[in-house]
Amino acid sequence: MQSITVKAPGRINLIGEHTDYNNGYVLPAAIQKAATVTIEKRTDNLVVLTALDLHESITITIADIKPSATQWVNYIIGVIAQFQKIKRFPSGFSVTLKSDIPIGAGLSSSAAIECAVAYALNELFAFGIDKMELALMAQKAEHEYAGVQCGIMDQFASLFGKKDQVVLLDCKTMKYQYFPFDLNEYSIVLFDTQIKHALASSEYNTRRLECEAGVAMIREKYKEVATLREASLTILNECVNENLYPIIYNRCKYVIQEIERTVAATKNLAAKELKAFGAKMFVTHEGLSKLYEVSCPELDLLVDMVKNKEQVLGARMMGGGFGGCTINIIKTNAVNDLIASVSETYKQQTGKDLQHYMVSIEDGANVITNSKF
């Protein structure tokens, strides 16, 4: 028999939020928190799935792969279903999952699971599928089984991350470029609101539809504009009436500006202009809160508390929105004091205990063990 253990990380995104499904640019990095799966070949046609952290297990047959009422199961069988479209499993297998990525924190715990399973199945059965195709398969699993019409960023970051580097991904061409992320005397700290509003997934899909509605208006005059990546503010102002369609206008305005901002931010990184980079993070949060409307009072509060502090280069909400984390670049020698003061104020104003995570940038998915017995 043979088994393999693969670890696939969660991700942060420094800038470029909600741009991936608009064919824009994103700037993510893999982190030290990860999902780990062990997959062992079986001699029968059963697929046995176990989530160690949840103390749950389910058994199905390889021929009976279909969406489940249990969400963590969908992240795994959604990937299995993608393989079945192009490959044949010679036997069943057991999948054992554990993860230290906080659920609902906006760190893409679901993508990490999908990528760990995809990477492990590909290695275990020697299917020979390249990493980019694995990322796309994991994305389709999220679409078809988890019901979230996500872009490619999360799965890409989990598979392609590199230690101490961020990666600029062009979601239109799938070309990418690494940038060293040398923080020197600064650290990345996530503040977790401990909020996860139930409408996050449905509103995510709604935002995608609103962007598509804006593109449809633009295409009445500019047929070459397939997504907001090809649009500009001039074109938007010409084609989408802000007074008649304020919501669609605001959604499109944010995305167009964020795509431009992300490209400019990488120039700041290349020039080692961290202050200018951080300032763009604050601007992004303002756009996410006021134009794209995917923030919430708790996220806004956390950003407001740090935005005028000289020890903080930049901060913004991160992820789909409506809860989860803010990402903060903080002077390392000020981290402990700032965590204490922010936690106290957050507790006073929301009644909730603030969770925080120190983040390091690590490599993407990799094999931990591969053994025959």
Side-chain angles (χ1 to χ4, degrees):
M1 298 297 291
Q2 184 179 4
S3 74
I4 190 168
T5 299
V6 167
K7 177 181 284 188
R11 65 97 190 95
I12 53 173
N13 185 31
L14 277 300
I15 199 164
E17 205 68 79
H18 286 276
T19 53
D20 55 349
Y21 54 86
N22 287 289
N23 273 8
Y25 294 92
V26 291
L27 194 69
I31 61 174
Q32 81 275 19
K33 294 184 179 294
T36 303
V37 299
T38 297
I39 303 184
E40 181 180 330
K41 289 181 179 178
R42 298 176 62 90
T43 57
D44 52 29
N45 67 345
L46 297 180
V47 175
V48 180
L49 309 178
T50 302
L52 293 178
D53 305 317
L54 301 175
H55 307 290
E56 294 179 9
S57 185
I58 184 173
T59 300
I60 53 180
T61 66
I62 195 71
D64 191 31
I65 300 297
K66 59 186 178 183
S68 169
T70 304
Q71 192 68 322
W72 70 265
V73 173
N74 283 326
Y75 300 138
I76 299 175
I77 62 176
V79 172
I80 296 170
Q82 301 310 314
F83 277 97
Q84 287 182 317
K85 293 178 182 180
I86 56 175
K87 299 289 183 178
R88 180 181 177 274
F89 290 107
S91 68
F93 46 88
S94 298
V95 180
T96 303
L97 164 70
K98 61 180 179 179
S99 175
D100 64 356
I101 306 171
I103 296 173
L107 301 178
S108 297
S109 56
S110 61
I113 295 169
E114 292 154 359
C115 290
V117 172
Y119 198 104
L121 287 174
N122 190 50
E123 292 290 321
L124 185 63
F125 290 100
F127 285 145
I129 299 171
D130 67 41
K131 279 202 301 185
M132 189 64 80
E133 184 60 27
L134 291 178
L136 293 168
M137 290 166 68
Q139 180 194 23
K140 289 177 184 175
E142 189 93 18
H143 289 180
E144 296 174 8
Y145 278 71
V148 178
Q149 299 300 309
C150 65
I152 192 62
M153 176 181 68
D154 298 347
Q155 292 81 6
F156 175 86
S158 187
L159 287 166
F160 284 83
K162 278 192 178 181
K163 185 175 176 59
D164 296 329
Q165 298 191 58
V166 294
V167 53
L168 178 69
L169 172 66
D170 182 338
C171 297
K172 180 180 179 180
T173 66
M174 298 306 292
K175 292 181 179 177
Y176 54 95
Q177 179 181 358
Y178 292 97
F179 288 84
F181 201 61
D182 186 2
L183 288 172
N184 295 317
E185 71 269 35
Y186 289 89
S187 297
I188 301 172
V189 184
L190 308 181
F191 290 144
D192 189 343
T193 60
Q194 300 289 289
I195 298 286
K196 187 60 179 177
H197 293 298
L199 48 72
S201 293
S202 62
E203 286 294 321
Y204 184 102
N205 293 340
T206 298
R207 292 300 178 278
R208 187 165 188 155
L209 292 172
E210 288 165 346
C211 292
E212 290 171 359
V215 170
M217 293 180 186
I218 291 170
R219 282 178 61 83
E220 291 179 9
K221 183 170 184 179
Y222 295 94
K223 300 294 186 186
E224 69 275 14
V225 175
T227 66
L228 291 175
R229 164 67 177 276
E230 291 86 33
S232 65
L233 281 182
T234 300
I235 289 175
L236 177 67
N237 290 329
E238 185 180 346
C239 299
V240 181
N241 189 307
E242 182 178 3
N243 295 318
L244 288 178
Y245 306 102
I247 291 176
I248 292 174
Y249 178 88
N250 285 342
R251 306 299 191 249
C252 295
K253 180 180 180 181
Y254 163 75
V255 171
I256 291 168
Q257 290 179 327
E258 181 74 347
I259 290 171
E260 294 174 351
R261 195 158 39 238
T262 302
V263 174
T266 60
K267 294 177 181 177
N268 294 146
L269 282 186
K272 301 187 183 303
E273 298 167 345
L274 277 182
K275 285 189 177 180
F277 182 93
K280 288 179 174 62
M281 294 172 65
F282 284 120
V283 177
T284 288
H285 182 81
E286 185 72 10
L288 287 164
S289 179
K290 302 298 191 296
L291 296 176
Y292 219 62
E293 295 184 284
V294 291
S295 187
C296 64
E298 295 86 357
L299 287 167
D300 290 343
L301 172 63
L302 288 174
V303 173
D304 287 342
M305 277 192 281
V306 302
K307 69 181 179 183
N308 293 318
K309 295 189 179 297
E310 62 180 58
Q311 313 99 308
V312 181
L313 286 184
R316 67 175 189 85
M317 63 149 279
M318 184 182 69
F322 305 102
C325 291
T326 62
I327 179 171
N328 306 263
I329 301 179
I330 304 172
K331 204 155 195 177
T332 302
N333 62 14
V335 166
N336 290 338
D337 288 344
L338 192 65
I339 288 172
S341 64
V342 169
S343 297
E344 182 180 359
T345 303
Y346 189 75
K347 176 74 169 181
Q348 290 172 350
Q349 297 202 25
T350 68
K352 292 186 174 296
D353 293 319
L354 182 70
Q355 182 66 268
H356 71 274
Y357 315 109
M358 302 296 295
V359 170
S360 61
I361 296 176
E362 303 294 340
D363 287 325
N366 61 87
V367 175
I368 299 174
T369 61
N370 190 347
S371 58
K372 291 184 178 181
F373 52 92

